[in-house]
Amino acid sequence: MALSEEFNSSYSPRKLADNVLRMGYDYVTFFYDLEQRLLVTAYRYSDAGGTTVTPFSKLDREVLVEMRDRLVELGGKPKELPPEAPTLNKPLRGLNP
């Protein structure tokens, strides 16, 4: 599934390397590094700014698939994402015997 033209025009996706997708919007820029499996977010407000780093394990898988697909559309050659980890159905702990 390709990202919509409206999304593409407002977020300006760009391939920085075969494994890195840059998504810029106004005062925030997202760098999806599919090799290191990290999202680096850079903020800039006037003279101030900051950076955060988030591992892919904390992100929504659908977003990661979309970003990888977009990078491939732009000519990138990222590896496949690892399979989604199964969720364990743990019993709820409580006061019930």
Side-chain angles (χ1 to χ4, degrees):
M1 171 190 307
L3 299 173
S4 72
E5 287 302 315
E6 180 181 345
F7 179 86
N8 289 340
S9 65
S10 63
Y11 275 87
S12 65
R14 184 178 308 163
K15 178 186 101 166
L16 294 184
D18 279 342
N19 293 305
V20 180
L21 178 69
R22 175 194 175 275
M23 300 291 288
Y25 181 77
D26 200 20
Y27 58 86
V28 65
T29 305
F30 303 98
F31 298 92
Y32 289 89
D33 186 334
L34 286 115
E35 181 71 26
Q36 300 298 319
R37 302 193 193 293
L38 295 171
L39 169 62
V40 178
T41 308
Y43 305 91
R44 58 176 160 50
Y45 302 100
S46 190
D47 292 335
T51 304
T52 63
V53 178
T54 308
F56 278 9
S57 62
K58 302 290 184 188
L59 300 175
D60 183 78
R61 181 159 177 88
E62 287 182 38
V63 171
L64 295 174
V65 169
E66 288 287 333
M67 295 304 114
R68 185 193 176 279
D69 290 348
R70 183 62 180 141
L71 183 57
V72 169
E73 288 175 13
L74 293 170
K77 296 174 178 69
K79 294 181 194 175
E80 289 290 329
L81 292 169
E84 191 168 11
T87 57
L88 299 176
N89 292 330
K90 294 181 181 178
L92 296 174
R93 290 187 172 195
L95 300 176
N96 297 334

